[in-house]
Amino acid sequence: MSDCLRESARVLVSSGCSEEDVQEFVVSAFLMDAYPPGMHGFSPTLVFAALYEKHCIEISKDGPSNHHCENISTGFKQQFVQLNPHNTSATIRKDVLRRFFRRWGGLRSTTTCFVCLTRPPEHMMPCEHALCDTCVVIFGKLSSLGEYLWDVAECPVCDEKFVVSIRQLPPTKHPVILSLDGGGIRGLYQLGLLRALEKRIGVPIAVLPDLCLGTSVGALTAIDIFFNNTSVEDCLRAFPDLARRIFRRSRIPVPRFVQWFASAFNLMLTGLYDSANLSQTLKEAVTPERRIFDVATASPAGCRVAVVASRTSDGKACVLANYRGTGQRNANAAYQFLIPNSSQENPSLSDVAMCSVAAPFYFQTRRLPGFVPLQDGGVRANNPLAIALRESSIIWPSSKRHDLLLSVGTGVSTASPDHNSRHGNAWEGALPRLFRAMMSSPSMDGQQGFFEALNYLPHHSKPDVFRLDQAIHGPLPELDDISALEEFSKMDFVVPDELVRTILASAMFFFELDATPVPSHVGYHCEGSILCSRPGAGEILARVLIEIPGAKFQAGQDRPLGDVDPADCCQFCGYFRKRVAFRVASLEERFSINIANSTCCEKIGGFPKSTQDFLDEQQAFAHFGRADHQTPQWPPARHCQCVRDTKRKIRFIEPASGPKRMRL
């Protein structure tokens, strides 16, 4: 909070705002943050002293006067008396924001949510004002298209009109993570596997993950699917032509020794291939006006996307993402999370893509405005799985694990190395040995990187981790071997049944309580709803019945909860809700809700968990109000968003009856 307040004060003072204006701006933000519904019984003096005083003292050291903290405290008490059911703290804050925008123009920050001033920005609006997840809920509107999907129709700062849909992770669910390896032209394997998976699960890959990280060609795939909204089928179809253009050499017939000399000369100066041609090719694939830090460029599916590159100075991995995360990052972490310090430090998607694929010896490095020179992320993290795990804990600190973690490779050779050969004897040169060790290290080899990441996962999380890769007979082709593209396109790609069933259960469904558990002589009676976390519930249910014939919901191994039935979807908007009831021995008993038939059993998202966990995560007893200002209503009002409009669509074709007689 201190960092966010210090940054916002710097922006306000540098814009010429007076000390009184700065104080009013900060006070209204504190008021909105501290007084959601149900918290008004606390004294404003005590609230300020407990939550904000120490932060104000810290920023007052660099502030306009020594009385800065005292004046903010006084203003906090004065604005508190204005609160009433019609003049809420969010309403007061929005009025202050409007006055400031009219008076001072386009005030904005790249490191602070300018609405609450207490959290980092998570979503950049088209007007370039940023909102955090909490402010999205406060100033957005629940969408009718799905659970925990919010529509933001106007900016609370400048009132600009637009339509941005933001999907949030349900509080009782865990994230789905997708990690995409690098591999040059072998990215065709990756796309083939994703296409085969998409056909099996019946929904676009773009709506599957909550977080996606990509390195090198995996970054290109992520940008195309999540930013360009390109289908996997179209990506696969366009990939061979894109690869031939990137790894294009001169067609002018010249002697071999001249080609060798030219290649060696380019290798020493820039790279084996023309970097200007790479830049132009990527600009045609991704519009240069689109920026990596603008969430408006992201897919409406709401996936958080990160691209992995590396520093040229020491090879340390660097992450560029369209989010910030609410957790803390260690300054001495194994990777650097790049954050813009000004609006000018917002590189285009094409430049970011070029950094991630600028492999040493192949292409020239790239320097983004405000950042150090960058190169291919495969130098340090060809498989970004370990980084994805850490970033997930920063984005969702309260989620202790994942529902599904899928790592997709770019081909693995089935030929086992001959460790008993002459390789490695005392007479062999050091350079070949070093090269083989480097290429087989976890930083360069995606398969080895996957195994290393598993070493740091707790045992109970490993069953939810999958590696999807294509087995290749013989040695893997080189990164730039475009002659192998035609052979790649003829390959058949297959995904395991277990992965498909896990995705359809844990990634698509979750559970929430609908009422407080009722104690009885045999434990507690629980009532709740199984809900769908992705749009297109009807198609998902149909696919579940194909992959798991005769599927039923059940609690544990022996408590049936009903069939997986498409009739539980609204016929107008597709809203899915399955009401269920079951008993638990105690509130602390951990259990799972599964989708099962006679041969398989897959748990839905968020499990295993206890009933008490659900009560805590749903904030069933938020005595002091909710931070997102949602009414602390319990049990929750859960219904289809189109219920009120359904009756209006009914047309009566019978003639209206005459006037009714009054009964005496």
Side-chain angles (χ1 to χ4, degrees), residues 1-9 11-12 21-30 32-33 52 55 59 72 93 96-97 108-109 111-121 130 132 135 157:
M1 185 183 293
S2 295
D3 293 338
C4 292
L5 290 174
R6 190 177 294 108
E7 166 65 13
S8 59
V11 172
L12 292 170
D21 289 337
V22 173
Q23 291 168 2
E24 182 188 24
F25 197 81
V26 174
V27 164
S28 61
F30 285 169
M32 184 186 73
D33 180 66
Y52 308 115
H55 301 290
I59 65 173
I72 290 180
R93 178 59 178 165
V96 172
L97 289 171
R108 54 180 57 88
S109 172
T111 59
T112 301
C113 174
F114 230 56
V115 179
C116 65
L117 305 184
T118 57
R119 289 175 287 269
C132 64
C135 289
V157 180

mmCIF file of all heavy atoms in Angstrom, residues 1-9 11-12 21-30 32-33 52 55 59 72 93 96-97 108-109 111-121 130 132 135 157:
data_model
loop_
_atom_site.group_PDB
_atom_site.id
_atom_site.type_symbol
_atom_site.label_atom_id
_atom_site.label_comp_id
_atom_site.label_asym_id
_atom_site.label_seq_id
_atom_site.Cartn_x
_atom_site.Cartn_y
_atom_site.Cartn_z
ATOM 1 N N MET A 1 0.824 -1.202 0.000
ATOM 2 C CA MET A 1 0.000 0.000 0.000
ATOM 3 C C MET A 1 0.860 1.254 0.000
ATOM 4 O O MET A 1 0.552 2.235 -0.677
ATOM 5 C CB MET A 1 -0.942 0.000 1.200
ATOM 6 C CG MET A 1 -1.935 1.158 1.217
ATOM 7 S SD MET A 1 -2.972 1.187 2.675
ATOM 8 C CE MET A 1 -3.937 -0.295 2.435
ATOM 9 N N SER A 2 1.951 1.225 0.757
ATOM 10 C CA SER A 2 2.826 2.406 0.812
ATOM 11 C C SER A 2 3.396 2.737 -0.559
ATOM 12 O O SER A 2 3.468 3.908 -0.951
ATOM 13 C CB SER A 2 3.960 2.170 1.820
ATOM 14 O OG SER A 2 3.451 2.042 3.126
ATOM 15 N N ASP A 3 3.806 1.697 -1.312
ATOM 16 C CA ASP A 3 4.353 1.934 -2.654
ATOM 17 C C ASP A 3 3.295 2.541 -3.572
ATOM 18 O O ASP A 3 3.584 3.465 -4.345
ATOM 19 C CB ASP A 3 4.867 0.620 -3.246
ATOM 20 C CG ASP A 3 6.076 0.086 -2.493
ATOM 21 O OD1 ASP A 3 6.753 0.894 -1.827
ATOM 22 O OD2 ASP A 3 6.336 -1.126 -2.564
ATOM 23 N N CYS A 4 2.058 2.020 -3.503
ATOM 24 C CA CYS A 4 0.989 2.547 -4.353
ATOM 25 C C CYS A 4 0.658 3.987 -3.987
ATOM 26 O O CYS A 4 0.473 4.839 -4.866
ATOM 27 C CB CYS A 4 -0.265 1.677 -4.226
ATOM 28 S SG CYS A 4 -0.102 0.008 -4.907
ATOM 29 N N LEU A 5 0.607 4.299 -2.686
ATOM 30 C CA LEU A 5 0.303 5.665 -2.255
ATOM 31 C C LEU A 5 1.416 6.623 -2.649
ATOM 32 O O LEU A 5 1.167 7.753 -3.072
ATOM 33 C CB LEU A 5 0.094 5.696 -0.742
ATOM 34 C CG LEU A 5 -1.178 5.029 -0.224
ATOM 35 C CD1 LEU A 5 -1.174 4.998 1.296
ATOM 36 C CD2 LEU A 5 -2.413 5.758 -0.730
ATOM 37 N N ARG A 6 2.657 6.176 -2.501
ATOM 38 C CA ARG A 6 3.789 7.030 -2.866
ATOM 39 C C ARG A 6 3.778 7.342 -4.367
ATOM 40 O O ARG A 6 4.036 8.473 -4.780
ATOM 41 C CB ARG A 6 5.092 6.352 -2.465
ATOM 42 C CG ARG A 6 6.321 7.248 -2.588
ATOM 43 C CD ARG A 6 7.567 6.534 -2.105
ATOM 44 N NE ARG A 6 7.495 6.258 -0.679
ATOM 45 C CZ ARG A 6 7.316 5.049 -0.156
ATOM 46 N NH1 ARG A 6 7.159 4.009 -0.965
ATOM 47 N NH2 ARG A 6 7.274 4.874 1.141
ATOM 48 N N GLU A 7 3.479 6.319 -5.177
ATOM 49 C CA GLU A 7 3.437 6.529 -6.626
ATOM 50 C C GLU A 7 2.297 7.463 -7.022
ATOM 51 O O GLU A 7 2.475 8.368 -7.843
ATOM 52 C CB GLU A 7 3.273 5.174 -7.331
ATOM 53 C CG GLU A 7 2.895 5.238 -8.798
ATOM 54 C CD GLU A 7 3.961 5.861 -9.679
ATOM 55 O OE1 GLU A 7 5.101 6.029 -9.195
ATOM 56 O OE2 GLU A 7 3.647 6.181 -10.837
ATOM 57 N N SER A 8 1.114 7.275 -6.425
ATOM 58 C CA SER A 8 -0.019 8.143 -6.764
ATOM 59 C C SER A 8 0.243 9.582 -6.330
ATOM 60 O O SER A 8 -0.102 10.526 -7.046
ATOM 61 C CB SER A 8 -1.299 7.616 -6.121
ATOM 62 O OG SER A 8 -1.170 7.558 -4.713
ATOM 63 N N ALA A 9 0.867 9.787 -5.145
ATOM 64 C CA ALA A 9 1.200 11.147 -4.696
ATOM 65 C C ALA A 9 2.189 11.804 -5.643
ATOM 66 O O ALA A 9 2.089 13.001 -5.947
ATOM 67 C CB ALA A 9 1.753 11.102 -3.275
ATOM 68 N N VAL A 11 2.523 11.207 -8.889
ATOM 69 C CA VAL A 11 1.827 11.563 -10.120
ATOM 70 C C VAL A 11 0.989 12.824 -9.925
ATOM 71 O O VAL A 11 0.979 13.729 -10.765
ATOM 72 C CB VAL A 11 0.940 10.392 -10.594
ATOM 73 C CG1 VAL A 11 0.069 10.808 -11.768
ATOM 74 C CG2 VAL A 11 1.796 9.191 -10.977
ATOM 75 N N LEU A 12 0.303 12.907 -8.786
ATOM 76 C CA LEU A 12 -0.554 14.068 -8.523
ATOM 77 C C LEU A 12 0.268 15.346 -8.376
ATOM 78 O O LEU A 12 -0.079 16.387 -8.938
ATOM 79 C CB LEU A 12 -1.387 13.814 -7.262
ATOM 80 C CG LEU A 12 -2.452 12.723 -7.357
ATOM 81 C CD1 LEU A 12 -3.018 12.415 -5.981
ATOM 82 C CD2 LEU A 12 -3.561 13.124 -8.308
ATOM 83 N N ASP A 21 -6.001 19.336 -2.958
ATOM 84 C CA ASP A 21 -6.559 18.397 -3.934
ATOM 85 C C ASP A 21 -6.009 16.987 -3.712
ATOM 86 O O ASP A 21 -6.741 15.991 -3.813
ATOM 87 C CB ASP A 21 -6.237 18.859 -5.353
ATOM 88 C CG ASP A 21 -7.023 20.101 -5.739
ATOM 89 O OD1 ASP A 21 -8.081 20.340 -5.132
ATOM 90 O OD2 ASP A 21 -6.567 20.834 -6.636
ATOM 91 N N VAL A 22 -4.714 16.892 -3.426
ATOM 92 C CA VAL A 22 -4.100 15.591 -3.179
ATOM 93 C C VAL A 22 -4.748 14.926 -1.970
ATOM 94 O O VAL A 22 -5.053 13.733 -1.981
ATOM 95 C CB VAL A 22 -2.581 15.732 -2.983
ATOM 96 C CG1 VAL A 22 -1.971 14.397 -2.562
ATOM 97 C CG2 VAL A 22 -1.912 16.238 -4.253
ATOM 98 N N GLN A 23 -4.967 15.699 -0.925
ATOM 99 C CA GLN A 23 -5.561 15.148 0.293
ATOM 100 C C GLN A 23 -6.983 14.648 0.042
ATOM 101 O O GLN A 23 -7.367 13.566 0.502
ATOM 102 C CB GLN A 23 -5.548 16.205 1.393
ATOM 103 C CG GLN A 23 -4.147 16.535 1.888
ATOM 104 C CD GLN A 23 -4.101 17.760 2.764
ATOM 105 O OE1 GLN A 23 -5.124 18.374 3.044
ATOM 106 N NE2 GLN A 23 -2.905 18.134 3.190
ATOM 107 N N GLU A 24 -7.791 15.416 -0.688
ATOM 108 C CA GLU A 24 -9.151 14.979 -0.991
ATOM 109 C C GLU A 24 -9.139 13.704 -1.829
ATOM 110 O O GLU A 24 -9.948 12.798 -1.631
ATOM 111 C CB GLU A 24 -9.910 16.086 -1.725
ATOM 112 C CG GLU A 24 -11.355 15.709 -2.034
ATOM 113 C CD GLU A 24 -12.052 16.735 -2.922
ATOM 114 O OE1 GLU A 24 -11.344 17.464 -3.656
ATOM 115 O OE2 GLU A 24 -13.293 16.788 -2.890
ATOM 116 N N PHE A 25 -8.195 13.640 -2.763
ATOM 117 C CA PHE A 25 -8.086 12.476 -3.633
ATOM 118 C C PHE A 25 -7.758 11.223 -2.826
ATOM 119 O O PHE A 25 -8.347 10.153 -3.030
ATOM 120 C CB PHE A 25 -7.000 12.735 -4.683
ATOM 121 C CG PHE A 25 -7.061 11.816 -5.868
ATOM 122 C CD1 PHE A 25 -7.948 12.045 -6.903
ATOM 123 C CD2 PHE A 25 -6.218 10.722 -5.951
ATOM 124 C CE1 PHE A 25 -8.002 11.195 -7.997
ATOM 125 C CE2 PHE A 25 -6.263 9.868 -7.035
ATOM 126 C CZ PHE A 25 -7.159 10.107 -8.063
ATOM 127 N N VAL A 26 -6.824 11.341 -1.885
ATOM 128 C CA VAL A 26 -6.411 10.203 -1.064
ATOM 129 C C VAL A 26 -7.503 9.827 -0.062
ATOM 130 O O VAL A 26 -7.792 8.647 0.169
ATOM 131 C CB VAL A 26 -5.087 10.509 -0.356
ATOM 132 C CG1 VAL A 26 -4.728 9.396 0.622
ATOM 133 C CG2 VAL A 26 -3.963 10.694 -1.373
ATOM 134 N N VAL A 27 -8.157 10.832 0.544
ATOM 135 C CA VAL A 27 -9.185 10.577 1.554
ATOM 136 C C VAL A 27 -10.345 9.781 0.976
ATOM 137 O O VAL A 27 -10.812 8.804 1.572
ATOM 138 C CB VAL A 27 -9.681 11.913 2.152
ATOM 139 C CG1 VAL A 27 -11.001 11.710 2.892
ATOM 140 C CG2 VAL A 27 -8.651 12.487 3.096
ATOM 141 N N SER A 28 -10.839 10.167 -0.182
ATOM 142 C CA SER A 28 -11.976 9.457 -0.773
ATOM 143 C C SER A 28 -11.609 8.025 -1.153
ATOM 144 O O SER A 28 -12.454 7.131 -1.117
ATOM 145 C CB SER A 28 -12.497 10.217 -1.998
ATOM 146 O OG SER A 28 -11.490 10.330 -2.988
ATOM 147 N N ALA A 29 -10.330 7.789 -1.508
ATOM 148 C CA ALA A 29 -9.892 6.419 -1.794
ATOM 149 C C ALA A 29 -9.886 5.584 -0.521
ATOM 150 O O ALA A 29 -10.321 4.426 -0.519
ATOM 151 C CB ALA A 29 -8.501 6.436 -2.427
ATOM 152 N N PHE A 30 -9.393 6.159 0.587
ATOM 153 C CA PHE A 30 -9.407 5.447 1.866
ATOM 154 C C PHE A 30 -10.838 5.145 2.309
ATOM 155 O O PHE A 30 -11.117 4.071 2.844
ATOM 156 C CB PHE A 30 -8.709 6.288 2.937
ATOM 157 C CG PHE A 30 -7.216 6.313 2.817
ATOM 158 C CD1 PHE A 30 -6.454 7.207 3.556
ATOM 159 C CD2 PHE A 30 -6.550 5.434 1.984
ATOM 160 C CE1 PHE A 30 -5.081 7.232 3.458
ATOM 161 C CE2 PHE A 30 -5.175 5.450 1.864
ATOM 162 C CZ PHE A 30 -4.431 6.357 2.614
ATOM 163 N N MET A 32 -13.504 4.621 0.494
ATOM 164 C CA MET A 32 -14.072 3.519 -0.277
ATOM 165 C C MET A 32 -13.442 2.189 0.126
ATOM 166 O O MET A 32 -14.111 1.158 0.211
ATOM 167 C CB MET A 32 -13.863 3.755 -1.773
ATOM 168 C CG MET A 32 -14.523 2.704 -2.651
ATOM 169 S SD MET A 32 -14.120 2.884 -4.394
ATOM 170 C CE MET A 32 -12.417 2.326 -4.403
ATOM 171 N N ASP A 33 -12.155 2.216 0.438
ATOM 172 C CA ASP A 33 -11.467 0.980 0.781
ATOM 173 C C ASP A 33 -11.891 0.471 2.157
ATOM 174 O O ASP A 33 -12.017 -0.734 2.374
ATOM 175 C CB ASP A 33 -9.954 1.221 0.763
ATOM 176 C CG ASP A 33 -9.173 -0.036 1.119
ATOM 177 O OD1 ASP A 33 -9.221 -0.988 0.334
ATOM 178 O OD2 ASP A 33 -8.543 -0.049 2.189
ATOM 179 N N TYR A 52 -4.422 3.094 8.013
ATOM 180 C CA TYR A 52 -3.764 4.007 7.071
ATOM 181 C C TYR A 52 -2.726 4.937 7.675
ATOM 182 O O TYR A 52 -1.934 5.522 6.942
ATOM 183 C CB TYR A 52 -4.826 4.861 6.369
ATOM 184 C CG TYR A 52 -5.933 4.053 5.749
ATOM 185 C CD1 TYR A 52 -7.248 4.140 6.195
ATOM 186 C CD2 TYR A 52 -5.661 3.145 4.723
ATOM 187 C CE1 TYR A 52 -8.254 3.386 5.639
ATOM 188 C CE2 TYR A 52 -6.665 2.385 4.156
ATOM 189 C CZ TYR A 52 -7.961 2.506 4.624
ATOM 190 O OH TYR A 52 -8.955 1.744 4.067
ATOM 191 N N HIS A 55 1.009 4.306 6.873
ATOM 192 C CA HIS A 55 1.327 4.515 5.457
ATOM 193 C C HIS A 55 1.377 6.002 5.137
ATOM 194 O O HIS A 55 2.226 6.452 4.354
ATOM 195 C CB HIS A 55 0.286 3.815 4.582
ATOM 196 C CG HIS A 55 0.192 2.343 4.807
ATOM 197 N ND1 HIS A 55 1.178 1.459 4.428
ATOM 198 C CD2 HIS A 55 -0.768 1.587 5.408
ATOM 199 C CE1 HIS A 55 0.824 0.232 4.758
ATOM 200 N NE2 HIS A 55 -0.352 0.280 5.352
ATOM 201 N N ILE A 59 4.582 8.260 3.523
ATOM 202 C CA ILE A 59 4.578 9.100 2.322
ATOM 203 C C ILE A 59 4.678 10.576 2.675
ATOM 204 O O ILE A 59 5.034 11.390 1.829
ATOM 205 C CB ILE A 59 3.319 8.848 1.470
ATOM 206 C CG1 ILE A 59 2.052 9.278 2.206
ATOM 207 C CG2 ILE A 59 3.234 7.403 1.053
ATOM 208 C CD1 ILE A 59 0.810 9.207 1.352
ATOM 209 N N ILE A 72 -5.111 14.513 6.186
ATOM 210 C CA ILE A 72 -5.835 13.380 5.601
ATOM 211 C C ILE A 72 -6.734 12.736 6.650
ATOM 212 O O ILE A 72 -7.887 12.368 6.370
ATOM 213 C CB ILE A 72 -4.847 12.357 5.007
ATOM 214 C CG1 ILE A 72 -4.168 12.941 3.755
ATOM 215 C CG2 ILE A 72 -5.552 11.060 4.644
ATOM 216 C CD1 ILE A 72 -3.179 12.002 3.106
ATOM 217 N N ARG A 93 -16.403 8.438 -3.986
ATOM 218 C CA ARG A 93 -15.128 8.290 -4.687
ATOM 219 C C ARG A 93 -15.281 8.594 -6.178
ATOM 220 O O ARG A 93 -14.433 9.271 -6.773
ATOM 221 C CB ARG A 93 -14.596 6.862 -4.500
ATOM 222 C CG ARG A 93 -13.291 6.570 -5.228
ATOM 223 C CD ARG A 93 -12.188 7.488 -4.796
ATOM 224 N NE ARG A 93 -10.922 7.184 -5.448
ATOM 225 C CZ ARG A 93 -9.885 8.004 -5.463
ATOM 226 N NH1 ARG A 93 -9.953 9.185 -4.858
ATOM 227 N NH2 ARG A 93 -8.774 7.663 -6.061
ATOM 228 N N VAL A 96 -15.447 12.350 -6.796
ATOM 229 C CA VAL A 96 -14.123 12.970 -6.675
ATOM 230 C C VAL A 96 -13.293 12.698 -7.928
ATOM 231 O O VAL A 96 -12.608 13.590 -8.446
ATOM 232 C CB VAL A 96 -13.404 12.460 -5.413
ATOM 233 C CG1 VAL A 96 -11.954 12.937 -5.387
ATOM 234 C CG2 VAL A 96 -14.129 12.931 -4.157
ATOM 235 N N LEU A 97 -13.344 11.470 -8.430
ATOM 236 C CA LEU A 97 -12.594 11.129 -9.643
ATOM 237 C C LEU A 97 -13.047 11.969 -10.827
ATOM 238 O O LEU A 97 -12.221 12.443 -11.622
ATOM 239 C CB LEU A 97 -12.769 9.644 -9.952
ATOM 240 C CG LEU A 97 -12.068 8.656 -9.009
ATOM 241 C CD1 LEU A 97 -12.512 7.226 -9.297
ATOM 242 C CD2 LEU A 97 -10.556 8.765 -9.145
ATOM 243 N N ARG A 108 -3.010 9.349 -14.743
ATOM 244 C CA ARG A 108 -2.994 7.892 -14.772
ATOM 245 C C ARG A 108 -1.655 7.399 -14.264
ATOM 246 O O ARG A 108 -0.670 8.130 -14.219
ATOM 247 C CB ARG A 108 -3.261 7.355 -16.180
ATOM 248 C CG ARG A 108 -2.340 7.899 -17.244
ATOM 249 C CD ARG A 108 -2.680 7.322 -18.621
ATOM 250 N NE ARG A 108 -4.046 7.574 -18.984
ATOM 251 C CZ ARG A 108 -4.455 8.679 -19.608
ATOM 252 N NH1 ARG A 108 -3.584 9.632 -19.915
ATOM 253 N NH2 ARG A 108 -5.716 8.837 -19.929
ATOM 254 N N SER A 109 -1.636 6.136 -13.859
ATOM 255 C CA SER A 109 -0.419 5.526 -13.352
ATOM 256 C C SER A 109 -0.322 4.114 -13.899
ATOM 257 O O SER A 109 -1.333 3.431 -14.080
ATOM 258 C CB SER A 109 -0.413 5.506 -11.819
ATOM 259 O OG SER A 109 0.669 4.746 -11.323
ATOM 260 N N THR A 111 1.593 1.773 -12.316
ATOM 261 C CA THR A 111 1.938 0.877 -11.214
ATOM 262 C C THR A 111 0.911 0.882 -10.092
ATOM 263 O O THR A 111 1.075 0.158 -9.112
ATOM 264 C CB THR A 111 3.309 1.242 -10.623
ATOM 265 O OG1 THR A 111 3.263 2.599 -10.149
ATOM 266 C CG2 THR A 111 4.393 1.120 -11.674
ATOM 267 N N THR A 112 -0.151 1.704 -10.198
ATOM 268 C CA THR A 112 -1.138 1.817 -9.133
ATOM 269 C C THR A 112 -2.532 1.903 -9.731
ATOM 270 O O THR A 112 -2.738 2.581 -10.740
ATOM 271 C CB THR A 112 -0.881 3.079 -8.285
ATOM 272 O OG1 THR A 112 0.425 3.007 -7.725
ATOM 273 C CG2 THR A 112 -1.892 3.199 -7.165
ATOM 274 N N CYS A 113 -3.486 1.193 -9.104
ATOM 275 C CA CYS A 113 -4.884 1.379 -9.468
ATOM 276 C C CYS A 113 -5.300 2.772 -9.024
ATOM 277 O O CYS A 113 -5.342 3.062 -7.826
ATOM 278 C CB CYS A 113 -5.749 0.312 -8.802
ATOM 279 S SG CYS A 113 -7.525 0.556 -9.034
ATOM 280 N N PHE A 114 -5.606 3.663 -9.968
ATOM 281 C CA PHE A 114 -5.858 5.059 -9.643
ATOM 282 C C PHE A 114 -7.247 5.268 -9.051
ATOM 283 O O PHE A 114 -7.618 6.388 -8.735
ATOM 284 C CB PHE A 114 -5.687 5.934 -10.893
ATOM 285 C CG PHE A 114 -4.798 7.122 -10.661
ATOM 286 C CD1 PHE A 114 -3.512 6.934 -10.197
ATOM 287 C CD2 PHE A 114 -5.237 8.402 -10.891
ATOM 288 C CE1 PHE A 114 -2.673 8.009 -9.971
ATOM 289 C CE2 PHE A 114 -4.412 9.488 -10.674
ATOM 290 C CZ PHE A 114 -3.123 9.285 -10.210
ATOM 291 N N VAL A 115 -8.012 4.190 -8.900
ATOM 292 C CA VAL A 115 -9.332 4.309 -8.289
ATOM 293 C C VAL A 115 -9.245 4.103 -6.780
ATOM 294 O O VAL A 115 -9.775 4.883 -6.004
ATOM 295 C CB VAL A 115 -10.310 3.313 -8.922
ATOM 296 C CG1 VAL A 115 -11.677 3.405 -8.266
ATOM 297 C CG2 VAL A 115 -10.436 3.562 -10.416
ATOM 298 N N CYS A 116 -8.540 3.042 -6.337
ATOM 299 C CA CYS A 116 -8.449 2.766 -4.899
ATOM 300 C C CYS A 116 -7.123 3.192 -4.289
ATOM 301 O O CYS A 116 -7.022 3.338 -3.073
ATOM 302 C CB CYS A 116 -8.685 1.284 -4.637
ATOM 303 S SG CYS A 116 -7.415 0.199 -5.326
ATOM 304 N N LEU A 117 -6.071 3.364 -5.094
ATOM 305 C CA LEU A 117 -4.746 3.814 -4.651
ATOM 306 C C LEU A 117 -4.069 2.846 -3.690
ATOM 307 O O LEU A 117 -3.031 3.178 -3.110
ATOM 308 C CB LEU A 117 -4.813 5.194 -3.976
ATOM 309 C CG LEU A 117 -5.446 6.338 -4.762
ATOM 310 C CD1 LEU A 117 -5.331 7.627 -3.968
ATOM 311 C CD2 LEU A 117 -4.820 6.486 -6.127
ATOM 312 N N THR A 118 -4.612 1.671 -3.478
ATOM 313 C CA THR A 118 -4.059 0.748 -2.493
ATOM 314 C C THR A 118 -3.608 -0.578 -3.088
ATOM 315 O O THR A 118 -2.996 -1.380 -2.384
ATOM 316 C CB THR A 118 -5.093 0.458 -1.391
ATOM 317 O OG1 THR A 118 -6.285 -0.052 -1.989
ATOM 318 C CG2 THR A 118 -5.428 1.722 -0.613
ATOM 319 N N ARG A 119 -3.897 -0.829 -4.372
ATOM 320 C CA ARG A 119 -3.523 -2.089 -5.002
ATOM 321 C C ARG A 119 -2.927 -1.813 -6.381
ATOM 322 O O ARG A 119 -3.222 -0.802 -7.002
ATOM 323 C CB ARG A 119 -4.743 -3.007 -5.144
ATOM 324 C CG ARG A 119 -5.252 -3.576 -3.833
ATOM 325 C CD ARG A 119 -6.531 -4.369 -4.019
ATOM 326 N NE ARG A 119 -7.662 -3.482 -4.286
ATOM 327 C CZ ARG A 119 -8.450 -2.979 -3.342
ATOM 328 N NH1 ARG A 119 -8.220 -3.248 -2.080
ATOM 329 N NH2 ARG A 119 -9.461 -2.205 -3.652
ATOM 330 N N PRO A 120 -2.086 -2.735 -6.865
ATOM 331 C CA PRO A 120 -1.523 -2.550 -8.207
ATOM 332 C C PRO A 120 -2.592 -2.722 -9.277
ATOM 333 O O PRO A 120 -3.593 -3.415 -9.058
ATOM 334 C CB PRO A 120 -0.460 -3.645 -8.309
ATOM 335 C CG PRO A 120 -0.891 -4.683 -7.322
ATOM 336 C CD PRO A 120 -1.554 -3.941 -6.207
ATOM 337 N N PRO A 121 -2.408 -2.110 -10.440
ATOM 338 C CA PRO A 121 -3.407 -2.235 -11.514
ATOM 339 C C PRO A 121 -3.377 -3.626 -12.123
ATOM 340 O O PRO A 121 -2.321 -4.200 -12.336
ATOM 341 C CB PRO A 121 -2.977 -1.168 -12.524
ATOM 342 C CG PRO A 121 -1.498 -1.040 -12.313
ATOM 343 C CD PRO A 121 -1.260 -1.282 -10.853
ATOM 344 N N ALA A 130 -6.275 2.286 -15.247
ATOM 345 C CA ALA A 130 -6.160 0.907 -14.796
ATOM 346 C C ALA A 130 -7.038 0.646 -13.588
ATOM 347 O O ALA A 130 -7.226 1.516 -12.738
ATOM 348 C CB ALA A 130 -4.706 0.587 -14.462
ATOM 349 N N CYS A 132 -7.987 -2.467 -10.511
ATOM 350 C CA CYS A 132 -7.660 -3.740 -9.883
ATOM 351 C C CYS A 132 -8.905 -4.635 -9.902
ATOM 352 O O CYS A 132 -9.995 -4.190 -10.265
ATOM 353 C CB CYS A 132 -7.162 -3.523 -8.455
ATOM 354 S SG CYS A 132 -8.405 -2.828 -7.349
ATOM 355 N N CYS A 135 -11.844 -3.249 -7.708
ATOM 356 C CA CYS A 135 -12.549 -2.102 -8.297
ATOM 357 C C CYS A 135 -13.399 -2.517 -9.492
ATOM 358 O O CYS A 135 -14.415 -1.881 -9.788
ATOM 359 C CB CYS A 135 -11.547 -1.022 -8.694
ATOM 360 S SG CYS A 135 -10.805 -0.168 -7.286
ATOM 361 N N VAL A 157 -13.065 6.802 -13.792
ATOM 362 C CA VAL A 157 -12.232 8.007 -13.693
ATOM 363 C C VAL A 157 -12.673 9.064 -14.693
ATOM 364 O O VAL A 157 -12.937 10.215 -14.336
ATOM 365 C CB VAL A 157 -10.746 7.658 -13.910
ATOM 366 C CG1 VAL A 157 -9.877 8.917 -13.817
ATOM 367 C CG2 VAL A 157 -10.284 6.628 -12.890
#
